[in-house]
């Protein structure tokens, strides 16, 4: 297919499980193993895809012997609202989801290392690199340029702030000092 994998950008966008800060403190939950010990008394709001994926609920159930009292399939944005309102106890999240910054959630540690690493990285066509060889060097400037906290902030601007992708991308490149005055428009 003549595709080239570029260097990692510096963050992972993995699956994780989250609970409210209050629940974490009251139930002393820090890891998924801690959660598994009490999960039969808890409800989970999980994404449709997460429920069906082998690296989602099915795999977690096997690895951690995790059994929830009730599992509700929900849209991504609704899970956050439902958990904040106390309608569900546990939700699946992406580790760079901007809503993690707004809601008072604790991301549980995957202490048995179930979730594979989902390192963010670009992919480019070989034909494009051949036509524009300098593009590889330019894109290489993004190697390890972004961490998970920064990505949460950027995603928040898109998800909750409704800012256009072009503006957020331009601001990010400016902050990384990768835009010149002439290219900033």
């Amino acid at each position: 297919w003549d595709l080239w994998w570029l260097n990692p950008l510096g963050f992972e966008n993995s699956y994780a499980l989250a609970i409210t800060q209050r629940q974490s403190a009251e139930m002393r939950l820090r890891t998924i193993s801690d959660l598994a010990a009490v999960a039969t008394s808890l409800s989970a709001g999980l994404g449709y895809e997460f429920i069906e994926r082998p690296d989602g609920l099915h795999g977690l159930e096997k690895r951690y012997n995790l059994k929830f009292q009730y599992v509700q399939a929900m849209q991504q944005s609704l899970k956050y609202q439902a958990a904040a309102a106390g309608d569900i106890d546990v939700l699946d999240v992406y580790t760079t989801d901007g809503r993690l910054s707004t809601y008072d959630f604790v991301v549980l540690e995957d202490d048995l290392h179930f979730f594979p690493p989902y390192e963010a990285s670009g992919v480019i066509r070989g034909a494009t690199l051949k036509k524009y060889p300098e593009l590889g060097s330019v894109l290489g400037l993004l190697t390890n340029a972004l961490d998970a906290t920064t990505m949460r902030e950027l995603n928040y601007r898109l998800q909750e702030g409704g800012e256009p992708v072009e503006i957020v991308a331009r601001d990010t490149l400016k902050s990384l000092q990768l835009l010149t005055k002439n290219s900033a428009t």
Side-chain angles (χ1 to χ4, degrees):
W1 290 349
D2 193 29
L3 296 175
W4 292 80
W5 197 274
L6 302 174
N7 289 330
L9 297 172
F11 67 93
E12 288 186 29
N13 189 27
S14 297
Y15 278 119
L17 296 180
I19 58 172
T20 63
Q21 286 274 2
R22 181 188 53 76
Q23 287 172 308
S24 175
E26 287 176 5
M27 301 176 86
R28 297 182 183 185
L29 302 178
R30 188 182 60 72
T31 67
I32 298 176
S33 290
D34 295 339
L35 175 68
V38 297
T40 56
S41 65
L42 302 175
S43 62
L46 306 175
Y48 301 101
E49 183 179 0
F50 186 82
I51 289 172
E52 297 301 322
R53 289 178 64 121
D55 61 341
L57 180 60
H58 295 304
L60 277 173
E61 289 172 336
K62 291 176 186 168
R63 175 69 63 89
Y64 284 95
N65 194 27
L66 182 67
K67 305 224 183 317
F68 291 108
Q69 180 181 35
Y70 180 76
V71 173
Q72 172 69 45
M74 302 181 82
Q75 288 182 321
Q76 192 69 19
S77 60
L78 297 178
K79 293 184 294 187
Y80 284 87
Q81 296 167 7
D87 296 333
I88 60 170
D89 300 303
V90 179
L91 65 155
D92 67 300
V93 298
Y94 299 110
T95 55
T96 62
D97 194 316
R99 290 169 283 230
L100 288 172
S101 304
T102 13
Y103 291 94
D104 199 21
F105 290 130
V106 171
V107 174
L108 298 174
E109 178 191 339
D110 180 11
D111 54 311
L112 298 182
H113 309 288
F114 169 72
F115 294 115
Y118 292 103
E119 274 190 296
S121 153
V123 176
I124 190 166
R125 293 178 190 271
T128 303
L129 278 176
K130 189 173 184 176
K131 187 173 181 180
Y132 305 101
E134 68 281 0
L135 197 53
S137 297
V138 171
L139 291 172
L141 296 172
L142 293 172
T143 300
N144 294 319
L146 303 166
D147 61 19
T149 301
T150 301
M151 285 310 301
R152 272 189 222 111
E153 292 166 1
L154 297 173
N155 283 331
Y156 178 80
R157 289 176 61 186
L158 296 167
Q159 294 166 332
E160 299 297 315
E163 291 184 55
V165 171
E166 296 81 6
I167 303 258
V168 175
R170 185 195 65 219
D171 291 350
T172 303
L173 291 173
K174 273 184 180 179
S175 73
L176 296 170
Q177 300 179 347
L178 296 177
L179 282 183
T180 64
K181 287 183 183 182
N182 293 337
S183 64
T185 56

